[in-house]
Amino acid sequence: MIKFGSIAGVALVLWHLLFYVVDKKLYFHPAVQWSVLLFYVLGMYLACRSGAQKSTDVYAWQPALRTAFGTFVVAHLIAHVFYFVLFKFIDPGMVNLQGEILFEGIERNTALLGEENAWKMKDQYKAEDFKPTFQKSAFAFTFGLIGGFVLALGVAWSTYGKSGFNQTK
């Protein structure tokens, strides 16, 4: 669990660093942000597979869920520590770049959102303070655990008690 969570967390950090170094705007691209789910799912799957191979019985539901979610928590913690350090200490200007990208997206989608809603969204963003703090990061981490639990449910469901998943003796 910790091993595969650490590997997935480091992979997430390296993935984001790649786009940070290549072009900071790419760091915020939706495809880059959503693709991290693959790292989480792969780490959880490999941890469950490793747990199943160590099990003498059919891999049960509870250990599968515990392993998958624990792996997610470790990877998620590593990723959030990286985000906090990057946005708070290494490059505080990333917050402003994120705001610019958000405004560009609102501008592109004004017809879809409606002009009044687009202005409301811009005003709301301007009123918010998006500078990273420990409290905001802790809340984001905790809130992310909800989605991680849903992912863990899916991975655990796909791995527990499956024939051929355990090594044959």
Side-chain angles (χ1 to χ4, degrees), residues 50-118:
S50 175
Q53 290 172 346
K54 292 175 186 171
S55 175
T56 56
D57 293 333
V58 174
Y59 199 45
W61 168 251
Q62 290 87 355
L65 181 58
R66 186 174 26 255
T67 300
F69 187 62
T71 303
F72 177 84
V73 170
V74 172
H76 196 53
L77 180 62
I78 292 169
H80 269 274
V81 168
F82 167 73
Y83 301 151
F84 180 75
V85 170
L86 177 66
F87 280 67
K88 178 82 173 176
F89 302 110
I90 297 174
D91 192 353
M94 290 288 281
V95 173
N96 297 330
L97 179 60
Q98 187 176 17
E100 291 172 19
I101 293 169
L102 176 69
F103 284 143
E104 288 173 8
I106 292 171
E107 289 292 325
R108 275 194 312 272
N109 295 303
T110 299
L112 179 67
L113 297 169
E115 197 162 324
E116 185 177 334
N117 287 335

Side-chain angles (χ1 to χ4, degrees), residues 19-20 23-29 97 100-101 104:
F19 292 100
Y20 176 78
D23 182 7
K24 290 179 185 179
K25 274 188 129 178
L26 282 176
Y27 181 94
F28 297 107
H29 193 278
L97 179 60
E100 291 172 19
I101 293 169
E104 288 173 8

